[in-house]
Amino acid sequence: MRQRNPVALGLAVILLLSSVVPAQRRTQSTVQKRPKLVLLIVVDQFRYDYLERFGDLFGPDGFRRLMRDGASWTQSNYDHMPTYTAPGHGTMMTGAYPAESGIIGNEWLDRASGKRITSVSDESVKLLGGLPGDPAASPSRLMASTVGDELRLVTNDRAKVIGISVKDRSAILPAGRHANAAYWFNWTSGTMVSSTYYFNQLPAWVTTFNAAKPADKYFGAKWERLLPESEYIKRAGPDNPSWENVPSSWNDTNSFPHTITGGATSPNRNFYTALDYSPYTNDILVSFAQQAIVNEQLGQDDDTDVLTVSFSANDYVGHRFGPYSQEVMDVTLRTDRNIATLLDFVNARVGLANTLIALTADHGVSPIPEHAAAMGLGGGRVPFADVMGKIQAAISARYNPQKKSPDPTADYLLRFAEANTWREWFINNNIYFNYDALRRDGVNIEEFSNVVVAAALTVPGIARAFSRLQLLRGATSITDPIERRALHGFYPARSGDVVMVAEPFKYIAETINATHGSPYSYDTNVPTIIMGAGVNPGRYLEPAAPNDIAPTLSALLRITAPSNSTGRVLIEALRK
Ligand SMILES: [Zn+2]
């Protein structure tokens, strides 16, 4: 063959490149296939620092795989309070603050009925798979669409969206209002349940799963440490410090091993409740998720499906033993294995290359107050009587100066209709006013608000208090992170009239060992990890929030972000 002129060849190549390559690129970008599956993994009550504290003990295929092959944000913080389960789960797939999603707490006061309701309680639907009469649940109170809802819209309902958790709210809220199904664990029956919101009867595969009594095989299980105790002493300290305070009435102990019976002689409600305070419900969830993937054929066609899996055991164990306990360390190591099993399964069935994965948590947790006190950090508990005593005394002094008896101001604050509530008068550190009583006595609400706020601020341990009027007027400062977080957690039709914030490391009217809910970093700093096609792996130091997950997934999926999404697209990790 005759040697061609190299200049001409070069020209030909340039011509070829200029005419063909851009066209190819254009084609690739316009018809690029969406991933087959979006998998959201939530670990309930999981602080970002767990990834660092226990990271050297993780296996290669769980958290470490996500951090290695995905993009991980170290400064990911919730920008709302209260930092509870339902507000967190209402945020991650909507991209919305509770101020937008309406999910302001796990429970709140419903002014219309005078009752305490939950974020997912719904008397118009029935429970499926549990015992008759047990309360059911639905996403009816969620005011924003989710990534799953938007995928259902763009695929004309062909996308399948399923949420799974031990807790009803954690299964229901990330999946969304137009999800195909949400499944959670029922404590009275020990089975996975759903509600008539989604369908009139459970799919056969769920009934089959329940028929095998998957929870009962853990009856009497002895929860031991995965690794030698020396590893735990090094990272979590001794097993039985004075601030771990597990009463014998809970049929549990401060120390390993924990024998899981709940004091029962055979599986019953007490046992199923005890099972929550062990790592084993996470194992049940992984099996159930595998069954969902197989039987619902998730990720098997070109219409992107969504599976959300929220592990709850970490939260129960954390509440009982605290974030610096050997138990939390152990459940974290076991969760690493659960995630490895789930990712391996998804890889085999769908292929990780076809899957977009996000991992986050709904909130962190503070040290047990007595632990924080022992460390000199000012930990403590603000008694209910201190808060209400000061507030009611101030109300009475201002509006009943003649000390009439009975005191006409006695009903100025709203009580809850439920008898068994243990935080009567306020919930989520919100105080609700009784508008009828205030109107009856011609009390000026603005002045009354000021009296309550001023009184609350005299209670030792209360750092801040904001009134409804302040928040609605925008009279709070967006540059003050505490005020901003209070505003982001305030939904006018559902929130109270005064919002209180405790000092760091202090709880208001809480008897539980360890908890969360504050606007402080131990409660707000959680992992945000996204892994999949189009995402540049790495450790990112830019500020981020779980609110950013929904808009970022939407950008990767090339769909409209959910209705109230105000999060940021995490462009620093996206391929152009
Ligand atoms: Zn939670």
Side-chain angles (χ1 to χ4, degrees):
M1 201 175 119
R2 194 167 65 94
Q3 184 77 38
R4 293 182 68 168
N5 180 337
V7 176
L9 184 66
L11 269 175
V13 168
I14 288 164
L15 280 171
L16 210 71
L17 280 171
S18 63
S19 63
V20 175
V21 174
Q24 271 180 350
R25 274 202 199 122
R26 228 175 8 249
T27 312
Q28 270 176 0
S29 65
T30 45
V31 300
Q32 190 184 49
K33 283 195 174 155
R34 292 197 183 107
K36 291 175 183 292
L37 179 67
V38 173
L39 173 65
L40 173 76
I41 302 173
V42 186
V43 190
D44 198 313
Q45 193 190 111
F46 194 92
R47 292 163 43 148
Y48 168 77
D49 68 351
Y50 293 173
L51 294 177
E52 306 286 351
R53 275 175 68 202
F54 312 128
D56 60 323
L57 299 176
F58 294 154
D61 301 324
F63 290 118
R64 198 178 283 173
R65 168 155 57 185
L66 291 168
M67 288 191 283
R68 183 187 63 232
D69 298 343
S72 170
W73 281 263
T74 61
Q75 306 302 316
S76 160
N77 285 278
Y78 277 103
D79 203 28
H80 68 235
M81 58 162 267
T83 39
Y84 289 144
T85 298
H89 281 84
T91 291
M92 43 194 73
M93 289 300 255
T94 63
Y97 298 118
E100 309 283 334
S101 69
I103 305 298
I104 56 160
N106 294 334
E107 301 170 337
W108 59 84
L109 173 69
D110 177 42
R111 280 190 173 274
S113 64
K115 282 186 183 161
R116 186 174 173 144
I117 53 168
T118 87
S119 63
V120 290
S121 58
D122 186 344
E123 289 177 4
S124 73
V125 297
K126 289 199 161 38
L127 193 71
L128 295 173
L131 299 180
D134 272 357
S138 86
S140 301
R141 302 193 207 283
L142 179 63
M143 295 295 125
S145 68
T146 61
V147 172
D149 289 335
E150 297 295 333
L151 275 169
R152 297 268 284 158
L153 280 169
V154 296
T155 61
N156 196 18
D157 271 358
R158 291 188 303 275
K160 271 198 175 175
V161 179
I162 293 178
I164 295 172
S165 182
V166 160
K167 298 183 184 177
D168 52 7
R169 53 190 178 274
S170 311
I172 288 169
L173 296 171
R177 293 180 68 118
H178 194 51
N180 298 77
Y183 301 100
W184 58 96
F185 185 71
N186 183 273
W187 291 275
T188 47
S189 56
T191 50
M192 294 299 291
V193 298
S194 188
S195 86
T196 54
Y197 179 87
Y198 302 100
F199 28 56
N200 290 323
Q201 65 179 65
L202 287 178
W205 68 266
V206 179
T207 308
T208 305
F209 185 88
N210 285 337
K213 294 267 174 201
D216 291 12
K217 71 172 181 186
Y218 297 104
F219 184 78
K222 210 180 244 191
W223 173 21
E224 308 254 23
R225 295 177 197 85
L226 267 179
L227 302 177
E229 188 176 3
S230 58
E231 298 288 355
Y232 294 75
I233 301 272
K234 189 170 147 194
R235 293 168 185 81
D239 195 11
N240 191 11
S242 60
W243 50 82
E244 267 186 39
N245 186 19
V246 177
S248 57
S249 60
W250 294 356
N251 294 298
D252 198 354
T253 54
N254 282 0
S255 316
F256 283 105
H258 299 274
T259 305
I260 315 299
T261 62
T265 50
S266 62
N268 64 7
R269 189 195 166 99
N270 288 348
F271 159 65
Y272 298 131
T273 306
L275 191 63
D276 281 339
Y277 290 87
S278 80
Y280 303 122
T281 59
N282 285 353
D283 299 343
I284 296 173
L285 280 196
V286 170
S287 312
F288 191 78
Q290 291 173 339
Q291 289 301 309
I293 290 166
V294 171
N295 290 287
E296 300 290 347
Q297 303 188 345
L298 299 180
Q300 297 304 305
D301 59 36
D302 289 341
D303 295 309
T304 312
D305 299 323
V306 178
L307 176 65
T308 70
V309 181
S310 178
F311 293 110
S312 309
N314 308 65
D315 184 64
Y316 290 105
V317 170
H319 277 299
R320 181 163 286 183
F321 301 102
Y324 297 95
S325 63
Q326 294 196 3
E327 285 82 358
V328 161
M329 175 171 162
D330 195 70
V331 77
T332 303
L333 298 180
R334 289 172 187 270
T335 306
D336 179 54
R337 296 182 175 196
N338 289 137
I339 290 173
T341 303
L342 183 59
L343 293 181
D344 283 346
F345 191 84
V346 169
N347 193 32
R349 292 285 306 188
V350 183
L352 289 178
N354 301 315
T355 307
L356 197 50
I357 298 168
L359 179 134
T360 190
D362 52 348
H363 50 76
V365 63
S366 89
I368 294 174
E370 292 72 26
H371 181 197
M375 302 290 280
L377 294 170
R381 296 174 191 268
V382 183
F384 173 80
D386 283 13
V387 182
M388 293 322 298
K390 290 254 188 198
I391 290 174
Q392 292 207 280
I395 293 172
S396 197
R398 169 66 187 83
Y399 298 102
N400 184 24
Q402 301 89 355
K403 299 194 168 39
K404 277 188 263 178
S405 185
D407 187 343
T409 69
D411 64 350
Y412 283 8
L413 301 179
L414 214 50
R415 285 174 186 259
F416 299 101
E418 266 179 41
N420 61 351
T421 173
W422 51 278
R423 276 184 289 186
E424 199 178 19
W425 295 102
F426 60 85
I427 182 168
N428 307 321
N429 296 339
N430 279 222
I431 296 174
Y432 290 75
F433 298 167
N434 182 350
Y435 298 143
D436 290 342
L438 297 178
R439 252 192 304 270
R440 178 194 68 210
D441 293 353
V443 173
N444 176 293
I445 290 194
E446 179 153 16
E447 196 211 25
F448 185 74
S449 293
N450 293 338
V451 169
V452 174
V453 166
L457 290 174
T458 67
V459 180
I462 304 263
R464 313 290 292 267
F466 308 105
S467 75
R468 156 179 293 264
L469 296 170
Q470 251 181 313
L471 295 167
L472 284 182
R473 233 180 245 150
T476 54
S477 165
I478 206 74
T479 56
D480 177 334
I482 307 293
E483 292 187 353
R484 191 178 67 231
R485 286 173 180 167
L487 191 60
H488 286 164
F490 190 84
Y491 190 82
R494 295 174 180 178
S495 295
D497 296 288
V498 169
V499 180
M500 297 180 291
V501 184
E503 292 168 0
F505 304 107
K506 288 192 171 72
Y507 299 164
I508 302 177
E510 280 281 8
T511 53
I512 198 163
N513 282 358
T515 198
H516 46 85
S518 82
Y520 303 121
S521 55
Y522 47 71
D523 283 341
T524 62
N525 189 200
V526 297
T528 288
I529 301 177
I530 300 179
M531 175 177 136
V535 179
N536 287 319
R539 192 165 177 268
Y540 291 86
L541 304 177
E542 287 86 347
N547 309 52
D548 301 336
I549 291 172
T552 303
L553 293 180
S554 302
L556 287 160
L557 293 164
R558 297 165 187 238
I559 60 170
T560 303
S563 59
N564 296 59
S565 170
T566 48
R568 180 172 74 87
V569 178
L570 298 168
I571 52 172
E572 58 271 28
L574 300 197
R575 270 179 220 139
K576 297 208 171 60

